[in-house]
Amino acid sequence: MIKHKLFLRWWLAFASILVGITVFTIGGGWNELYQNDATKLSFVIAAMFLGMSQWCGYKTWLLSRFIDRGGQEKDEHMIKKVENTMEAGWFTSDLCLTVGMAGTVIGFIMMLSGFTKLDVSDVNTVQGLIKNLGIGMSTALYSTLTGLICSALLKIQYFNLSQAVDKIRRK
């Protein structure tokens, strides 16, 4: 019988994420993100994601050990703590989306702010507008994409944990 099956499922997901992060790093993704997200909210989202992923792994490890010991006697206190952690994880996954959307709105504001000083007869103001459009749009898109990806990957991890708690509760 395989021990720590629940934790191994989480580890497989997290190891896949780490491989993706490694490929992203080798491809210059962090530099690209730094250059194109003027708000740097993508890094806030990534930090929340990594922190909550590690926390999910720790709670998954604890629950996995509980299940492997037989889990016959329901340690209500431990299960309640894991459920509270899951609520924080679900909240953080939604927060990743929210911060990503905030970056989108800020990016659009940055993009459209160039129109206030537009003088179509002056080539320099038109060039400045085009630059603002590019910076604002890249900020909007990068923060949205980072929020969506981090949210989805967090939800996968917490879904794994949630399914295990539900299975314990049904016994």
Side-chain angles (χ1 to χ4, degrees):
M1 183 172 123
I2 298 175
K3 293 188 104 181
H4 304 298
K5 193 184 246 183
L6 174 66
F7 179 75
L8 290 175
R9 259 197 322 260
W10 173 85
W11 180 248
L12 177 64
F14 191 68
S16 300
I17 291 166
L18 290 177
V19 167
I21 289 172
T22 302
V23 169
F24 185 73
T25 301
I26 291 170
W30 294 113
N31 187 43
E32 179 83 14
L33 201 57
Y34 185 80
Q35 297 295 324
N36 292 310
D37 182 0
T39 62
K40 309 303 183 232
L41 286 175
S42 297
F43 292 98
V44 172
I45 295 167
M48 288 190 303
F49 167 75
L50 288 173
M52 288 308 287
S53 290
Q54 290 172 351
W55 189 245
C56 181
Y58 173 68
K59 291 300 180 174
T60 303
W61 170 255
L62 291 178
L63 194 60
S64 183
R65 279 188 15 202
F66 172 75
I67 292 169
D68 288 348
R69 284 193 311 246
Q72 303 302 335
E73 75 293 338
K74 289 188 179 178
D75 185 357
E76 195 62 36
H77 177 70
M78 195 272 299
I79 294 172
K80 202 68 166 154
K81 285 176 78 172
V82 170
E83 284 179 326
N84 289 340
T85 300
M86 287 184 335
E87 288 177 25
W90 292 115
F91 173 78
T92 305
S93 71
D94 287 340
L95 190 60
C96 287
L97 279 175
T98 303
V99 173
M101 289 294 112
T104 303
V105 171
I106 293 169
F108 284 147
I109 290 169
M110 291 169 55
M111 187 173 74
L112 298 175
S113 69
F115 284 105
T116 60
K117 304 171 224 148
L118 182 62
D119 178 12
V120 290
S121 63
D122 183 15
V123 174
N124 290 332
T125 61
V126 174
Q127 287 175 341
L129 172 66
I130 292 171
K131 182 180 177 187
N132 280 352
L133 288 173
I135 292 170
M137 185 56 81
S138 66
T139 296
L141 294 176
Y142 277 105
S143 61
T144 303
L145 183 63
T146 304
L148 286 170
I149 290 171
C150 289
S151 176
L153 293 175
L154 261 182
K155 286 179 180 180
I156 289 168
Q157 294 174 62
Y158 280 93
F159 180 76
N160 179 44
L161 190 57
S162 177
Q163 290 296 309
V165 168
D166 288 346
K167 189 175 179 181
I168 290 170
R169 289 251 185 241
R170 282 182 291 201
K171 283 186 180 181

